[in-house]
Amino acid sequence: MRSYRQYCGLARALDVVGDRWTLLIIRELLIRGSSRYTDLRDGLPGIATNLLADRLNELEQAGLIQRSVASAGAALYELTPRGKELEDVIAALGRWAAPLMGRRSRGDAVRGHWLALPVQLYLADGAPNEPPVTLELRATGDSEPVTVEAANGAVRARPGRATLPDLVLAGPPEAIMSVLMGRVEIGAARRAGLQATGEPAVLQRLQRRAPNQ
Amino acid sequence: MRSYRQYCGLARALDVVGDRWTLLIIRELLIRGSSRYTDLRDGLPGIATNLLADRLNELEQAGLIQRSVASAGAALYELTPRGKELEDVIAALGRWAAPLMGRRSRGDAVRGHWLALPVQLYLADGAPNEPPVTLELRATGDSEPVTVEAANGAVRARPGRATLPDLVLAGPPEAIMSVLMGRVEIGAARRAGLQATGEPAVLQRLQRRAPNQ
DNA sequence: CCGGATCCGGGTTGATACTG
DNA sequence: CAGTATCAACCCGGATCCGG
């Protein structure tokens, strides 16, 4: 991207991350941790492969990602500490977007692991002294679930299956999203196609007191 | 901009504000409040006039800005409440950009009122019970200063001249920036070309306890 | 002068094909 | 698997023009 050539923090930030696709690449690396080229491409439906390669080079130049070589010779990409600091930016954008997440337009791509983003925004461990609990989220149309673990006051979300989850939420991603954000009760969400198997009380523990939107 | 067509909050947000220049236009409206077309163009050096017109239309469509007509028949643009909510996003980007604000490259445009952004990020009223104080910032190369007022625990920054400021900081914008961010003492900044006239203690009151960067 | 609209050249993006 | 190469379509920047 051409630089804005303005001595202003916002303009400087956008010179680095304002390009199309750039912040979405950071999103992928934040959620998945270190990733291979093909993983990134799968998590960024619609991106052209040459653009992904270009952006990865630019991000490496800018010091936001690091390229390493796995044992099998496959290239691996992961965020540097400086790149991880963009988490606050992405969180702010994600929070601002909450009112835009009502209904899913047909044709919109879905990836289960994207649910890790709202999890970090809207969930917290409300009972730090209780034993850990595990929640699994399964978006319809995606084979890869997200596992949410609450323990010692912290909530972590990661792509992948849980072993012995206390609660599993499966259904359309917008229904899962509504429940996570606290806009809908879990009972009402069943009518929107949500299936909940396990211990529903897990949700009470995880939901923040002040519901968002 | 083409939609990313992803059911993900970040992608939805970028569908609306991810276009080139869009967030910088929001910056202008946040700092200046309601603005005329020409004011916006002056505050966005480098923008093509047709792009500004296009973006203003898109932003109005998206419900982020509102067009009104002033008494003299001049068009006025201002943020809607929804548009103002982007302040958190811009703050996050501005904070992330702090390490990028070291030196000014030659050719970089400067506008004095852009200093209002770091003011909001790095200053606070540390003495709510004292009488109000006023600080004026004058960036070299720009005729329009910024006025900072601290009163009752709140700090406001607005473009324009102050009446009877308690302290005036004038000099290269990067020197003013360094002092605001707490990276440099006001004495050391004099060597970088900063002129301080008035009551330096004003700065102690305004600087946050934990210095940024 | 204000508030744009129009036109054009060049750079960026997107889709697909191809390669080590 | 991990990208390059190619090319058309679109977007951006700069200049010009135009009605109040």
Side-chain angles (χ1 to χ4, degrees):
Chain A
M1 172 184 280
R2 275 180 72 121
S3 166
Y4 287 109
R5 308 203 128 271
Q6 298 185 358
Y7 187 69
C8 159
L10 179 63
R12 289 260 168 113
L14 293 174
D15 281 346
V16 182
V17 299
D19 257 326
R20 191 158 165 77
W21 290 108
T22 300
L23 278 178
L24 295 183
I25 293 171
I26 306 280
R27 171 197 72 191
E28 286 302 304
L29 291 168
L30 269 176
I31 296 178
R32 308 178 82 120
S34 116
S35 313
R36 293 185 306 181
Y37 188 88
T38 337
D39 296 333
L40 291 174
R41 213 178 40 189
D42 289 348
L44 295 163
I47 198 173
T49 170
N50 57 342
L51 263 191
L52 177 53
D54 285 357
R55 292 291 180 272
L56 289 173
N57 284 324
E58 295 165 8
L59 286 171
E60 192 180 13
Q61 286 284 330
L64 306 192
I65 70 174
Q66 213 170 3
R67 195 182 306 243
S68 67
V69 182
S71 53
L76 278 183
Y77 299 90
E78 66 186 315
L79 292 173
T80 63
R82 177 68 178 149
K84 285 204 184 96
E85 288 174 19
L86 283 167
E87 188 164 9
D88 295 339
V89 172
I90 287 177
L93 278 162
R95 246 184 288 273
W96 185 82
L100 307 174
M101 292 304 287
R103 58 189 174 288
R104 175 157 64 106
S105 327
R106 65 196 181 82
D108 275 9
V110 174
R111 293 292 182 277
H113 68 273
W114 293 343
L115 286 169
L117 200 77
V119 164
Q120 305 283 7
L121 292 178
Y122 303 119
L123 300 188
D125 185 3
N129 301 322
E130 304 280 319
V133 290
T134 303
L135 168 66
E136 190 177 287
L137 307 175
R138 307 184 152 274
T140 309
D142 191 315
S143 55
E144 172 109 333
V146 166
T147 294
V148 182
E149 289 159 324
N152 306 321
V155 174
R156 289 194 332 123
R158 57 171 177 82
R161 188 154 310 194
T163 56
L164 290 174
D166 300 286
L167 175 63
V168 177
L169 297 181
E174 57 271 37
I176 299 180
M177 196 83 79
S178 299
V179 169
L180 293 183
M181 294 168 68
R183 289 191 306 206
V184 202
E185 295 296 318
I186 197 167
R190 280 181 206 276
R191 261 163 270 142
L194 191 79
Q195 292 177 28
T197 61
E199 186 48 66
V202 168
L203 264 186
Q204 260 86 59
R205 169 166 175 179
L206 286 174
Q207 256 151 6
R208 288 180 195 277
R209 291 301 152 246
N212 302 70
Q213 288 293 340
Chain B
M1 170 183 283
R2 275 181 71 128
S3 167
Y4 287 107
R5 309 201 128 271
Q6 298 184 358
Y7 186 70
C8 158
L10 179 63
R12 289 260 167 113
L14 292 174
D15 281 346
V16 181
V17 300
D19 257 327
R20 190 159 166 77
W21 291 107
T22 299
L23 279 178
L24 295 183
I25 293 172
I26 306 280
R27 171 197 72 189
E28 286 302 303
L29 291 169
L30 270 176
I31 295 178
R32 309 177 82 121
S34 114
S35 314
R36 294 187 307 179
Y37 188 87
T38 336
D39 296 332
L40 292 174
R41 214 179 39 191
D42 289 348
L44 296 163
I47 198 173
T49 169
N50 58 341
L51 265 192
L52 178 54
D54 284 356
R55 292 291 179 270
L56 289 173
N57 284 325
E58 294 165 7
L59 286 171
E60 192 181 13
Q61 287 283 330
L64 306 192
I65 71 174
Q66 213 169 3
R67 196 181 305 245
S68 67
V69 182
S71 53
L76 279 183
Y77 300 89
E78 66 186 316
L79 293 173
T80 63
R82 176 69 178 149
K84 286 204 184 96
E85 289 174 20
L86 283 167
E87 188 163 10
D88 295 339
V89 171
I90 287 176
L93 278 162
R95 246 184 289 272
W96 185 81
L100 306 174
M101 292 304 287
R103 58 190 175 287
R104 176 157 64 105
S105 326
R106 66 195 181 82
D108 275 9
V110 175
R111 292 294 182 276
H113 68 273
W114 294 343
L115 286 169
L117 201 75
V119 163
Q120 306 284 5
L121 291 179
Y122 304 119
L123 300 188
D125 186 2
N129 300 323
E130 305 280 320
V133 291
T134 302
L135 168 66
E136 190 176 287
L137 307 175
R138 305 184 153 276
T140 309
D142 191 314
S143 56
E144 172 108 332
V146 165
T147 295
V148 182
E149 289 161 323
N152 306 322
V155 174
R156 289 194 331 124
R158 57 171 177 81
R161 188 153 311 194
T163 56
L164 290 174
D166 300 286
L167 176 63
V168 177
L169 297 181
E174 57 270 39
I176 299 180
M177 195 83 79
S178 298
V179 169
L180 293 183
M181 293 167 69
R183 289 191 306 206
V184 199
E185 295 295 318
I186 198 167
R190 280 181 207 277
R191 262 163 270 142
L194 190 78
Q195 293 177 28
T197 61
E199 185 50 65
V202 168
L203 264 186
Q204 262 85 58
R205 169 168 174 179
L206 286 174
Q207 257 152 5
R208 288 181 195 275
R209 291 304 151 243
N212 302 71
Q213 289 291 339

